[in-house]
Amino acid sequence: MKMHLFQDRAPLRDALLQYKQNRILPFDVPGHKQGKGNPRLREFLGEKCLAVDVNSMKPLDNLSHPVSVIKEAEELAADAFGADHAFFIVNGTTAAVQAMVMTACKRGDKIIMPRNVHISAINSLILCGAVPVYVNPGVNSKLGIPLGMTVEDVKKAIEKNPNAKAVFVNNPTYYGICSDLKAIVKLAHAHGMMVLVDEAHGTHFYFGEGLPPSAMSCGADMAAVSLHKTGGSLTQSSLLLIRNGLNVGYVRQILSLTQTTSASYLLLSSLDISRRNLALHGKEIFARVLDLVEYARGEINLIGGYYAYGKEMEGHPAVHAFDRTKLSVFTRGIGLAGIEIYDMLRDDYGIQIEFGDIGNILAIVSVGDNELAVERLVSALYEIRRLKSKDPTGMFDHEYITPRVEMSPQEAFYANKVSLPLRQSIGFLCGEFVMCYPPGIPILAPGERITREIIDYTIYAMEKGCLLTGMQDISVETIKVVEG
């Protein structure tokens, strides 16, 4: 039986405090020397912060080969999250997603995944040469948003591709949609395939009550968890969780292919401290978050025109569960794209939400929020409806367009390419990414056929104010297509 560790400990934080107390004279990097060499930076970030922005050394361990305090901190994280092992990640969850795919797959291997994955997953295919077998997610026709993968669709993909190495699952999606992860894990394992879970938005599943099940509790082999998103650590800090007897040494070697050798101790210590906080207080933290979100959801739905969706989404074959901490709001009912409301909230009301697409917005509510903050958001949405609402006729009505994949992402990305104006690219194979950020889910990926619908969507999204990224041409007037 696994022995639970004392979660009130924070070994990495304690080691950094001891380092400060020892008043070590630094003749190593970083060159700001605890802030003394850059007074303006010290003034901006604070002396306490810069005093622990240090380099790897024996008393502080080394992320690439942890044997002491980082090792202890990772063991505590694994215990808290119910994993066999946890890796601290300082390159963002992107590095964790890449490590999952590159651990499971080599060049030419197939991996089953939904097409509405984050760009980091498709970038992983470009890096390692794996070939995607896309499962089109379900779609909610009213909201126009992609849902999860149905178990039946995953089963069909497995039966058609019995040599695939893994099944990749988004859980939850940006909108809060969860697939039937437990059933997918059982199905994949029965066919000798690993299950990799992009759990970037699911830290709270491990600690809250009444929430969808976590990847580790469902038996997944690997999960990438953005502790910074809803768990309180610093931006860019994350966890990679593994179980089922995976080779820890091999996974660490894969991580070392893309993760920095100069790990930030600010990020590492924030993971250690946040894990401690969640392990000790996570239950009450996320109970409070749920109360705030449910209150906001109810108030927004009373305004009229908006639709803040919740548990009623469940019951569809592609929606096994809904993450009730997500404040996802459908906006087309008031004749405004989500990105338009996103801009209005920031520019006119001083409120920064997570993202807006062409029909929805997402506001992240966390332990750092309170009733007054939620009231301010609800009031601003009421004012926007009263002052800015329009006739919704003619608005683009869906976020997900089924791709036509005709070449592997790696082959298309490295192929000879030419630039064409967007409208003239219809019919060609895409040689780069086109996506709105956030959320960072590609509209087009390398190897996909460019269609009129996709170009119409892209131009519409730009006109509404979405930030398009992924293309070499920053002006987004031309696109790289595969030559020939």
Side-chain angles (χ1 to χ4, degrees):
M1 185 174 178
K2 187 175 178 180
M3 181 180 69
H4 284 278
L5 306 178
F6 293 104
Q7 289 292 334
D8 59 346
R9 296 172 56 239
L12 189 50
R13 176 206 60 183
D14 294 345
L16 285 166
L17 289 173
Q18 185 63 53
Y19 169 84
K20 284 176 64 178
Q21 188 176 335
N22 289 345
R23 300 171 64 87
I24 300 296
L25 179 64
F27 277 97
D28 61 351
V29 298
H32 63 67
K33 300 299 177 82
Q34 300 174 357
K36 293 188 286 291
N38 195 338
R40 289 185 179 177
L41 184 64
R42 184 176 57 190
E43 180 184 349
F44 181 66
L45 293 180
E47 188 174 350
K48 286 184 177 180
C49 174
L50 293 188
V52 292
D53 180 34
V54 294
N55 191 29
S56 296
M57 60 189 74
K58 283 188 177 180
L60 298 180
D61 211 353
N62 187 303
L63 184 61
S64 299
H65 188 82
V67 294
S68 59
V69 289
I70 294 178
K71 180 175 181 286
E72 291 175 37
E74 289 185 338
E75 287 171 350
L76 284 162
D79 181 68
F81 282 80
D84 289 347
H85 193 87
F87 298 89
F88 279 11
I89 308 294
V90 294
N91 282 30
T93 307
T94 288
V97 168
Q98 289 173 346
M100 291 197 302
V101 174
M102 292 165 69
T103 296
C105 300
K106 298 179 177 63
R107 182 177 175 82
D109 288 342
K110 291 181 180 179
I111 179 169
I112 296 166
M113 59 171 56
R115 174 54 181 78
N116 59 322
V117 290
H118 189 266
I119 187 174
S120 59
I122 302 179
N123 276 341
S124 305
L125 307 180
I126 293 173
L127 290 173
C128 74
V131 179
V133 175
Y134 288 131
V135 174
N136 285 316
V139 176
N140 182 295
S141 56
K142 176 186 175 182
L143 306 178
I145 63 170
L147 304 175
M149 296 187 294
T150 68
V151 176
E152 187 60 31
D153 284 345
V154 173
K155 182 180 179 182
K156 288 177 182 176
I158 289 175
E159 289 172 348
K160 288 181 180 178
N161 301 274
N163 58 339
K165 299 297 183 182
V167 178
F168 186 101
V169 188
N170 292 336
N171 208 73
T173 69
Y174 241 112
Y175 303 97
I177 307 298
C178 296
S179 301
D180 189 348
L181 188 55
K182 198 162 192 176
I184 290 172
V185 168
K186 184 178 179 181
L187 183 62
H189 284 175
H191 289 81
M193 299 178 190
M194 293 174 62
V195 177
L196 320 176
V197 183
D198 182 346
E199 210 169 24
H201 287 267
T203 300
H204 44 292
F205 290 0
Y206 290 88
F207 303 99
E209 292 187 326
L211 296 174
S214 68
M216 292 293 102
S217 71
C218 287
D221 300 279
M222 306 182 81
V225 182
S226 288
L227 200 61
H228 70 90
K229 285 185 168 66
T230 56
S233 65
L234 289 178
T235 296
Q236 202 173 307
S237 60
S238 182
L239 293 176
L240 173 60
L241 308 175
I242 68 171
R243 55 171 294 164
N244 300 331
L246 288 187
N247 186 326
V248 173
Y250 180 66
V251 176
R252 197 177 295 283
Q253 284 183 329
I254 294 293
L255 266 172
S256 296
L257 295 176
T258 57
Q259 181 152 248
T260 179
T261 55
S262 301
S264 165
Y265 277 84
L266 299 177
L267 301 183
L268 293 173
S269 60
S270 80
L271 286 169
D272 194 26
I273 294 166
S274 298
R275 179 273 314 155
R276 178 186 185 275
N277 187 45
L278 293 176
L280 297 179
H281 309 295
K283 183 177 175 181
E284 52 264 40
I285 285 172
F286 293 117
R288 173 148 177 78
V289 169
L290 267 176
D291 287 344
L292 286 172
V293 175
E294 293 289 14
Y295 171 75
R297 188 176 286 120
E299 291 297 300
I300 291 168
N301 284 333
L302 288 174
I303 294 173
Y306 298 108
Y307 172 37
Y309 34 102
K311 272 189 77 67
E312 72 280 359
M313 296 282 288
E314 297 177 356
H316 187 286
V319 187
H320 179 70
F322 182 79
D323 175 9
R324 292 184 296 126
T325 71
K326 291 288 184 294
L327 187 55
S328 304
V329 184
F330 177 67
T331 65
R332 272 203 317 272
I334 66 167
L336 293 172
I339 188 61
E340 292 177 302
I341 292 177
Y342 172 99
D343 288 339
M344 291 174 189
L345 285 170
R346 184 193 59 245
D347 297 342
D348 301 336
Y349 297 92
I351 297 172
Q352 181 64 57
I353 58 172
E354 176 66 12
F355 86 93
D357 55 33
I358 64 171
N360 301 265
I361 58 172
L362 170 65
I364 297 291
V365 180
S366 76
V367 65
D369 293 304
N370 56 32
E371 290 89 347
L372 285 175
V374 169
E375 290 284 7
R376 185 174 161 189
L377 173 62
V378 172
S379 297
L381 290 174
Y382 171 80
E383 284 293 301
I384 288 171
R385 178 188 180 276
R386 185 174 69 85
L387 300 173
K388 304 286 187 179
S389 59
K390 301 177 184 176
D391 182 351
T393 304
M395 296 184 73
F396 213 101
D397 63 357
H398 56 283
E399 301 290 343
Y400 179 74
I401 300 171
T402 302
R404 290 168 51 189
V405 183
E406 300 185 21
M407 186 181 286
S408 77
Q410 186 185 63
E411 187 181 359
F413 186 82
Y414 289 112
N416 292 329
K417 297 185 282 271
V418 296
S419 293
L420 290 177
L422 283 180
R423 287 289 184 195
Q424 294 178 27
S425 69
I426 295 169
F428 286 85
L429 274 185
C430 187
E432 58 184 355
F433 288 98
V434 180
M435 64 182 174
C436 295
Y437 191 87
I441 297 169
I443 301 166
L444 270 171
E448 296 176 359
R449 187 68 65 183
I450 301 170
T451 64
R452 183 174 302 280
E453 184 184 19
I454 288 170
I455 294 300
D456 287 345
Y457 176 96
T458 301
I459 292 173
Y460 180 86
M462 277 195 295
E463 290 172 347
K464 289 297 182 182
C466 289
L467 174 65
L468 287 200
T469 66
M471 302 161 76
Q472 287 187 30
D473 181 4
I474 295 178
S475 67
V476 198
E477 294 176 354
T478 63
I479 184 171
K480 291 285 186 181
V481 301
V482 176
E483 193 175 29

